[in-house]
Amino acid sequence: MNHTVQQLLLAALVVLPLLGSVAALLPAPPGLRGRGPDQAVMRHGVTVTGVVLAAAIALAAGFDHDHPARMQAQTDIGWIPALDIRIHLGVDGVSLPLLVLTALLTFLSALYAYFNRPSGPSPKAFVALLLLLESGTLASFAVLDLMLFFLAFEMVLIPMYFLINRWGGAERERAAWRFILYTLLGSVVMLLGLLLVGLKGGTFDMVALATDNGSGLSHTTQLIAALAIIVGLAVKAPMWPLHSWLPDAHTAAPTVGSVLLAGVLLKMGTYGLVRIVLPMAPEGAHTYAPYLAAFAVVGIIYGSLACLALALPSPTTTLNGGSALSERSGAGGDLKRLIAYSSVGHMGFVLLGIATLTPTGVNGALFANIAHGLITGLLFFLVGALKDRSGTTDLDQLAGTSGAALYGRAPRLGGLLAFGAVASLGLPGLAGFWGEMLAMFGAFDPADGLSRPAYLTYMALAAFGTLLTAAYMLIVVRRVCMGDHPIEPGTGSEAERPALADVHGHEFAAWSPLVALTVLAGLWPAALLGLTDPAVQQLLAGGTR
């Protein structure tokens, strides 16, 4: 593809959602109002995100797959000459899959919201915030200047805050405040590290700094900068123990907010570690890698145990009539919260892969990033649909006598939930398997200078985490799809479980791409690894191969 066309496509990915966000706030032209202004603005969201997705697919199709380590579609324009800050955009094998994933999930979210409009204030504001969020996320993966990266990184915080606070469920204000406070504090720390790297390195250009491979930074500077950047990015990842904002945010967020938070926003933290810390401060990365791996493994075990506690039936009190009353209160047993905690565990594998400092581990981390976005995005869509139908995401109610019992009442929905669960637990042949397996392979033989016995211990603990993941996911499938109290045919109890709508056409359209890509990535992992591996090799080598 022509270089100019590539430049235009990449610029369009960043600019079109921003322009669409502004246009969403304007009155709809009379001929495009449809059944009303609300429908018109929701349709506008679907149209803009669809055009952005088409541009992302065209960019991927025109990408030079024979040279994925080379930065392509570059635009480099001076912005603030005094600080040598430039509007520098580009894409390589590391960022391209994340750009396409972001465009896909945002389009599917807009499509889902068109038919399942979130309850809350004006749809205009909802669509404008959704498009602003997309623009900031795409920019985070496309920019090649440290200051632009920081601005794009911050740009997503405000729209996500309002999506949670204005269109969320119970406890939404508290969850939104925790989200914004944690991420803003982390960003302040990260900014100090980015400024240190840019000022001491003599430039904010990420390509030049990666090529230098830290040669312009002293050992002490690398240690300080790497620590500050890692802490800031770890909040967004999220890494244990900086994860506590995540379950509340996911539980309170509307369905599309949860999909984008898990599928896209969490990837910004781990992407920053690979793009910035590993090539620009290699000595700092090497020093902190064992600690990052230890925190990652604790997150895997902690997240899995938290999910297991939520998945198991709560203690009950039997009433005179023989029915059971749950003693669990608050957010305990919430299926949405369980999936949020599962993200802590899955992102732990991503962090473990990065902390090995090996091509195998980092490739596994990038693969697990994409797999998590596909699978967890699907799971949050399914849980949102389940809540729309049953009015709850409480596992005890979904598994009770009058609960979901999806296999009998909505078999397609139950089948999709079971598929998402087995994909999440890492079933071979599906996307979730390869990333986690490669991360553990990387831990089996970490980079030179790292303690192999320590990393073998981390690998063993991570493997135990996969067993815990299988345990809680299978418990969820059994309880939601079959129920804790199966109804015997002919007992007359069928009336206790009223009809439950199965998968609608628009839901099938929104979810089937995620299912197909999960299977495709699981059966053909080379399609993604062939993109990331040369770029990872180059980043770890400091721009030389």
Side-chain angles (χ1 to χ4, degrees):
M1 179 183 289
N2 183 276
H3 177 67
T4 303
V5 176
Q6 281 190 314
Q7 285 181 309
L8 292 174
L9 286 173
L10 185 58
L13 286 181
V14 177
V15 175
L16 280 180
L18 194 59
L19 297 177
S21 178
V22 175
L25 299 175
L26 302 176
L32 299 177
R33 288 179 182 172
R35 293 192 298 269
D38 289 351
Q39 186 202 38
V41 75
M42 298 302 291
R43 186 169 56 206
H44 169 77
V46 175
T47 302
V48 174
T49 55
V51 172
V52 172
L53 176 60
I57 294 173
L59 180 64
F63 186 80
D64 185 357
H65 292 262
D66 293 329
H67 301 91
R70 179 169 56 86
M71 199 62 69
Q72 302 178 35
Q74 289 195 68
T75 298
D76 193 359
I77 304 171
W79 184 33
I80 306 178
L83 297 176
D84 193 27
I85 298 175
R86 309 181 65 80
I87 299 176
H88 190 180
L89 306 177
V91 61
D92 66 356
V94 171
S95 54
L96 180 63
L98 291 167
L99 288 170
V100 176
L101 176 68
T102 300
L104 173 65
L105 285 177
T106 311
F107 169 70
L108 297 181
S109 295
L111 181 65
Y112 184 84
Y114 179 80
F115 292 97
N116 297 270
R117 192 177 306 164
S119 58
S122 165
K124 280 189 174 184
F126 178 84
V127 172
L129 291 169
L130 185 69
L131 293 173
L132 183 62
L133 180 71
E134 180 181 33
S135 179
T137 310
L138 289 169
S140 298
F141 299 136
V143 297
L144 296 173
D145 183 277
L146 288 179
M147 290 299 98
L148 279 184
F149 175 80
F150 176 77
L151 293 176
F153 196 87
E154 293 301 286
M155 184 176 167
V156 305
L157 302 185
I158 300 303
M160 181 54 72
Y161 166 80
F162 281 109
L163 286 174
I164 297 172
N165 193 28
R166 305 302 298 276
W167 287 270
E171 306 261 340
R172 60 180 182 268
E173 291 187 10
R174 176 176 176 271
W177 273 111
R178 291 195 72 182
F179 164 77
I180 199 74
L181 287 176
Y182 267 77
T183 49
L184 276 178
L185 288 174
S187 297
V188 169
V189 177
M190 181 182 70
L191 176 60
L192 297 176
L194 295 177
L195 287 172
L196 186 59
V197 170
L199 294 175
K200 293 293 185 179
T203 179
F204 288 99
D205 187 86
M206 294 166 68
V207 176
L209 289 167
T211 303
D212 289 343
N213 203 216
S215 61
L217 305 176
S218 67
H219 180 70
T220 302
T221 300
Q222 289 197 39
L223 289 180
I224 297 173
L227 179 61
I229 297 171
I230 287 171
V231 170
L233 294 173
V235 173
K236 185 67 71 73
M239 180 185 76
W240 181 93
L242 303 174
H243 70 284
S244 58
W245 61 270
L246 182 70
D248 289 340
H250 270 311
T251 304
T255 297
V256 297
S258 294
V259 170
L260 294 176
L261 182 58
V264 176
L265 265 66
L266 302 189
K267 312 302 176 282
M268 294 165 62
T270 51
Y271 170 79
L273 290 174
V274 175
R275 177 68 73 195
I276 298 173
V277 178
L278 297 190
M280 299 181 198
E283 294 178 25
H286 194 279
T287 299
Y288 298 120
Y291 304 101
L292 182 63
F295 284 127
V297 171
V298 172
I300 293 171
I301 300 298
Y302 170 82
S304 299
L305 289 176
C307 290
L308 191 59
L310 291 171
L312 293 170
S314 67
T316 56
T317 300
T318 303
L319 304 180
N320 292 334
S323 62
L325 177 66
S326 173
E327 293 178 350
R328 183 181 284 159
S329 60
D334 189 281
L335 183 54
K336 212 174 178 188
R337 194 175 189 85
L338 183 148
I339 298 172
Y341 271 111
S342 76
S343 291
V344 177
H346 289 307
M347 296 308 290
F349 280 98
V350 177
L351 292 169
L352 176 62
I354 295 172
T356 66
L357 304 183
T358 63
T360 300
V362 177
N363 276 302
L366 295 174
F367 197 103
N369 252 348
I370 302 300
H372 177 264
L374 296 172
I375 297 167
T376 308
L378 174 63
L379 286 172
F380 275 119
F381 270 135
L382 293 170
V383 173
L386 188 57
K387 184 176 183 179
D388 291 340
R389 288 159 169 76
S390 63
T392 184
T393 55
D394 183 88
L395 267 169
D396 293 330
Q397 295 184 42
L398 292 173
T401 304
S402 58
L406 291 180
Y407 285 157
R409 301 171 64 198
R412 294 182 182 86
L413 186 60
L416 283 170
L417 182 62
F419 172 85
V422 297
S424 182
L425 63 84
L427 184 73
L430 298 177
F433 171 77
W434 294 106
E436 296 180 1
M437 185 59 63
L438 288 172
M440 288 190 284
F441 281 164
F444 180 77
D445 188 17
D448 294 339
L450 299 177
S451 171
R452 189 161 187 247
Y455 274 80
L456 288 175
T457 303
Y458 299 151
M459 183 192 72
L461 291 172
F464 179 64
T466 63
L467 298 179
L468 294 175
T469 303
Y472 70 73
M473 277 300 179
L474 293 176
I475 290 173
V476 166
V477 170
R478 180 184 63 79
R479 297 189 70 204
V480 176
C481 294
M482 300 174 64
D484 289 338
H485 306 280
I487 294 177
E488 297 293 333
T491 61
S493 300
E494 291 87 346
E496 296 182 24
R497 287 180 175 165
L500 196 69
D502 213 335
V503 178
H504 301 302
H506 68 273
E507 292 173 332
F508 180 79
W511 303 340
S512 56
L514 301 179
V515 174
L517 289 172
T518 299
V519 175
L520 180 64
L523 295 178
W524 191 27
L528 183 55
L529 293 174
L531 279 175
T532 61
D533 184 54
V536 167
Q537 297 272 4
Q538 181 162 307
L539 283 173
L540 291 176
T544 59
R545 294 188 60 198

